[in-house]
Amino acid sequence: MSGNQFKGNEVSCCIKYFIFGFNILFWLLGMALVGIGLWAWSEKGVLSNISSITDLGGLDPVWLFMVVGGVMFILGFAGCIGALRENTFLLKFFSVFLGIIFFLELTTGVLAFVFKDWIKDQLNLFINNNIRAYRDDIDLQNLIDFTQEYWDCCGAFGADDWNLNIYFNCTDANPSREKCGVPFSCCTKDPAEDVINTQCGYDIRAKPDSEQKDYINVKGCVPQFEKWLQDNLTLVAGIFIGVALLQIFGICLAQNLVSDIEAVRASWVPPPLSMRRLPPHSGKKASAYYS
């Protein structure tokens, strides 16, 4: 220790290694999500032509993996290395970044409640844009099919929204076999069928509205999503509160660890002059060094 003295303050090992272990999981998970996103892009040839990213008509679900994975990687790195190396800069960055995310989530929740009609219109626009690009990206197609199957819905506000897609619209100039149809994910489920009939939606919108409900889900995904939120309000609120408490807990632990590190550094007392080692230079006497 070379004569270093402390006034009794020390860094809490429990907090230090708890933050380290907690964040290393997020770090590894973030790297995994980014890796999955890069792999998906390489399979679709996006990495060989980066400009194709801007050509996507709808949302590319790979962006979700990249953004979430990138944020988790940055936070995990800052928290993990900051706790292990007792680096106050990285710990402060971790807590501030986490605080910003918490503030953005809180602001988004308040704005979504206040401007819920505007949010509904934006959700309708978002779904319709993705309907237009349904056949352009396989991941987007799978995402829309999953959404329509999970919520038993079709289109944003109804099956006629699929007129926006060039393959499913009912115009006379449409040469597609899927003309006046809907994707198979709009079809009502038959428990007796073991194999999905991917052609069940063909020509279905050419039938009268009274007959369509016997074959497909006629309700839109926006009202079905609203109904799902109302039915699962307790679960959704519990998840948001749990995430918020976890973020606040992480911020408090990081700030506590920063306080411990700064207190230890402030309590450091330089050793007496008589205990310091002579520098390895020659030609000077010890009396000159201590004078």
Side-chain angles (χ1 to χ4, degrees):
M1 298 293 292
S2 301
N4 292 350
Q5 298 178 3
F6 296 90
K7 296 179 181 178
N9 296 312
E10 61 180 15
V11 177
S12 174
C13 290
C14 293
I15 295 178
K16 175 179 177 179
Y17 289 108
F18 181 83
I19 295 177
F20 171 76
F22 184 75
N23 280 280
I24 198 170
L25 295 177
F26 278 91
W27 190 11
L28 295 175
L29 184 58
M31 285 194 297
L33 291 177
V34 171
I36 292 173
L38 292 175
W39 170 80
W41 269 354
S42 66
E43 288 294 311
K44 293 189 290 186
V46 174
L47 295 180
S48 59
N49 183 18
I50 300 299
S51 62
S52 62
I53 295 177
T54 59
D55 297 334
L56 296 176
L59 170 71
D60 188 350
V62 177
W63 275 109
L64 297 176
F65 287 91
M66 299 295 291
V67 172
V68 174
V71 171
M72 292 180 64
F73 177 82
I74 293 172
L75 280 177
F77 174 83
C80 178
I81 303 302
L84 185 64
R85 303 294 300 174
E86 297 182 6
N87 188 309
T88 55
F89 174 78
L90 288 177
L91 288 172
K92 288 178 180 179
F93 173 81
F94 168 78
S95 59
V96 170
F97 200 172
L98 202 58
I100 292 173
I101 293 176
F102 173 74
F103 176 77
L104 291 176
E105 291 172 348
L106 183 62
T107 303
T108 302
V110 173
L111 292 177
F113 178 77
V114 175
F115 300 102
K116 53 185 176 182
D117 292 334
W118 181 84
I119 295 295
K120 185 189 298 186
D121 293 338
Q122 294 302 309
L123 182 60
N124 178 29
L125 180 63
F126 173 78
I127 294 176
N128 286 336
N129 286 337
N130 288 317
I131 285 176
R132 291 186 180 93
Y134 178 74
R135 294 296 191 195
D136 297 342
D137 186 272
I138 186 63
D139 293 327
L140 175 63
Q141 181 175 315
N142 291 333
L143 178 62
I144 293 176
D145 287 335
F146 170 79
T147 301
Q148 294 189 143
E149 287 181 328
Y150 184 79
W151 279 316
D152 295 329
C153 59
C154 190
F157 283 95
D160 287 338
D161 289 335
W162 282 97
N163 274 325
L164 297 172
N165 188 279
I166 60 175
Y167 300 100
F168 294 99
N169 67 60
C170 287
T171 58
D172 295 335
N174 184 9
S176 172
R177 178 61 187 87
E178 296 175 307
K179 173 182 176 181
C180 277
V182 292
F184 72 92
S185 53
C186 286
C187 298
T188 55
K189 297 178 181 178
D190 186 357
E193 286 186 353
D194 295 330
V195 180
I196 297 177
N197 179 13
T198 57
Q199 299 181 1
C200 61
Y202 283 14
D203 304 319
I204 198 67
R205 288 189 295 114
K207 300 178 182 292
D209 294 343
S210 57
E211 295 183 18
Q212 291 183 20
K213 62 182 181 180
D214 295 331
Y215 301 96
I216 63 173
N217 299 306
V218 294
K219 295 181 180 179
C221 291
V222 173
Q224 286 294 88
F225 176 68
E226 290 179 328
K227 181 178 181 298
W228 180 86
L229 282 180
Q230 293 175 356
D231 295 341
N232 298 273
L233 186 60
T234 303
L235 175 63
V236 174
I239 292 174
F240 275 101
I241 292 174
V243 171
L245 292 177
L246 191 62
Q247 291 172 330
I248 294 173
F249 183 63
I251 293 171
C252 292
L253 284 181
Q255 290 297 321
N256 196 351
L257 184 57
V258 169
S259 299
D260 287 350
I261 295 172
E262 291 179 343
V264 169
R265 291 175 179 175
S267 65
W268 181 79
V269 178
L273 197 59
S274 60
M275 297 180 61
R276 299 182 185 177
R277 294 180 179 179
L278 290 176
H281 50 61
S282 58
K284 291 187 179 181
K285 297 180 180 179
S287 58
Y289 177 71
Y290 288 114
S291 59

